[in-house]
Amino acid sequence: MVAAFVIALSVDMLLLNTAIWSDAQFVLLSVVCLLSVTAYLQGRGYRYLTLGAVAAALAWLGRYVGGAVVVAGALAILLLGEGRFRRRLTDTLLFGVIASAPGVVWMTRNAIVGDSATNRHLGLLAALRDNVGALVQTIASWLLPGTNRIKVFAAQDVLMTACVVLATGVFLYAAFRWVRPLISGRLALVQIPIVFLLFAIVYMASLVVGASFFDAGIPMDNRILAPAYVAVVIVIAYVAQIVWQSVPSHPARIGGMALIVAFLVVNGTVSVGTAAHFRREGRGFTGPAWQYPVLRKTLAAIPAALVYSNHPAGVEFALGRRAMAVSPDALAGAVAGDGRVILVYFDNPRAYAPQHPNAGKEALST
């Protein structure tokens, strides 16, 4: 219940569920897979292994990083399953075949129809250290929302990294001090947090490797790390429950409760503020900037030609015509290259909002 409450108050989940992205579906399928695998590990039959494999297959079809769900589920069965190694290996292979078959078939189709199974090629695309740094800063924003997007002082990244290290240390200490003694002979007690922790590690490692060697466009932001956030919250909630029951000290319990309440207040405040902003301003193309008539009239006057824009999605939304992305620095070069090219540059799309004093006058240059 605590984990569900924390996730519900999270601004990351709010951002995910107010946009038409595949991320919310991916999170749901990942959780269904991990819970189903856990149910199978607890002896509830092969129907749960099959359900988990199907959920993992759908997650993979939705996003290539869904392969991390398959790997995490397979590792959980192999490492945590009951019986001899041969039986665990057989069950792991069964899960892997069911979970991987649709994705493999689809990638084979891509390789036949196109020139690549995933439209990505192996190569050193970005510094591994930069991706790890961005990953740590996003994890830090789970503790204090917005710190990975807003810089208040020069040493902020260093301080937030230290907070992540400290929080990780406290978690590991609590796990070894109070949780590990309870595992002996009762592995089922901690199967859920172990499975979700395994997924979080495999998922984040997959993102770092993918961004460094396959797709430099993968951002280590709150959206892409949302599945790991959900998994980590569930793990911490389980560990906190065990520690709460194991620590007899009232001051320790009060201190832990105070930290939880503070965390919920901070995240709840940010989420309420974000929700209020979305209600007032909308989000993306639902905002007043894109509903103001001047915007559509101005864009509708663009002649039939190749359109370059620093916001091609906006042009496509307003006109239903494809636009090519171009950076502000490349605008002059595009003009010089071909006189038939139309350049649409958005200085400030919000200036189309009716309440703006210069509505529709200064937001668009063509």
Side-chain angles (χ1 to χ4, degrees):
M1 181 181 293
V2 174
F5 195 56
V6 170
I7 293 171
L9 285 179
S10 167
V11 67
D12 294 345
M13 294 299 104
L14 176 63
L15 295 175
L16 242 64
N17 291 290
T18 53
I20 305 177
W21 290 331
S22 63
D23 301 82
Q25 167 190 295
F26 183 82
V27 170
L28 174 63
L29 291 172
S30 299
V31 171
V32 170
C33 171
L34 299 175
L35 290 177
S36 299
V37 168
T38 304
Y40 161 76
L41 293 175
Q42 293 174 347
R44 300 185 185 180
Y46 280 92
R47 64 182 182 276
Y48 284 99
L49 183 145
T50 304
L51 175 60
V54 171
L58 293 174
W60 190 358
L61 286 175
R63 293 174 58 189
Y64 287 124
V65 76
V69 185
V70 179
V71 172
L75 287 176
I77 295 171
L78 183 63
L79 299 176
L80 302 176
E82 295 182 352
R84 295 183 177 182
F85 177 78
R86 183 175 180 178
R87 177 189 173 185
R88 287 184 279 127
L89 181 60
T90 301
D91 292 346
T92 300
L93 291 176
L94 175 62
F95 174 87
V97 169
I98 297 174
S100 302
V104 171
V105 170
W106 184 253
M107 288 193 296
T108 302
R109 172 264 178 197
N110 292 344
I112 295 174
V113 175
D115 61 349
S116 172
T118 62
N119 195 31
R120 291 161 176 81
H121 304 280
L122 179 63
L124 184 58
L125 303 177
L128 182 63
R129 183 179 63 180
D130 293 341
N131 286 320
V132 173
L135 173 68
V136 172
Q137 292 309 312
T138 300
I139 294 175
S141 72
W142 297 348
L143 302 174
L144 192 61
T147 54
N148 61 330
R149 297 186 295 270
I150 303 173
K151 304 300 180 185
V152 180
F153 53 91
Q156 178 175 309
D157 288 350
V158 176
L159 177 61
M160 295 309 300
T161 300
C163 290
V164 171
V165 173
L166 177 61
T168 303
V170 171
F171 172 80
L172 292 176
Y173 174 79
F176 278 92
R177 174 67 175 81
W178 289 290
V179 179
R180 190 177 65 169
L182 299 177
I183 296 178
S184 180
R186 294 189 295 173
L187 184 60
L189 181 66
V190 292
Q191 278 179 333
I192 288 182
I194 291 177
V195 170
F196 275 86
L197 181 60
L198 186 62
F199 165 71
I201 294 173
V202 172
Y203 180 79
M204 289 188 284
S206 300
L207 289 178
V208 171
V209 172
S212 301
F213 298 100
F214 293 97
D215 187 357
I218 298 178
M220 297 296 159
D221 58 10
N222 298 78
R223 172 192 171 187
I224 204 72
L225 285 169
Y229 172 81
V230 172
V232 169
V233 169
I234 292 174
V235 171
I236 293 176
Y238 266 87
V239 172
Q241 180 183 14
I242 294 174
V243 172
W244 180 270
Q245 296 172 350
S246 304
V247 177
S249 172
H250 292 292
R253 288 189 173 188
I254 294 175
M257 182 60 69
L259 288 176
I260 294 175
V261 171
F263 179 82
L264 292 176
V265 168
V266 171
N267 279 267
T269 301
V270 174
S271 295
V272 169
T274 303
H277 173 77
F278 287 165
R279 179 181 176 84
R280 182 177 63 254
E281 297 286 345
R283 186 179 182 197
F285 297 128
T286 64
W290 296 99
Q291 308 306 319
Y292 198 68
V294 174
L295 173 64
R296 293 182 178 274
K297 291 180 180 179
T298 304
L299 292 176
I302 296 175
L306 182 61
V307 177
Y308 282 85
S309 177
N310 64 332
H311 194 352
V315 177
E316 293 179 25
F317 171 77
L319 297 182
R321 289 168 46 187
R322 185 180 180 186
M324 306 296 292
V326 61
S327 65
D329 295 337
L331 290 177
V335 171
D338 191 338
R340 293 173 299 175
V341 171
I342 301 297
L343 303 172
V344 180
Y345 179 67
F346 291 86
D347 298 309
N348 178 18
R350 284 191 53 141
Y352 282 101
Q355 65 269 25
H356 194 280
N358 296 315
K361 298 179 182 179
E362 299 179 355
L364 181 67
S365 302
T366 58

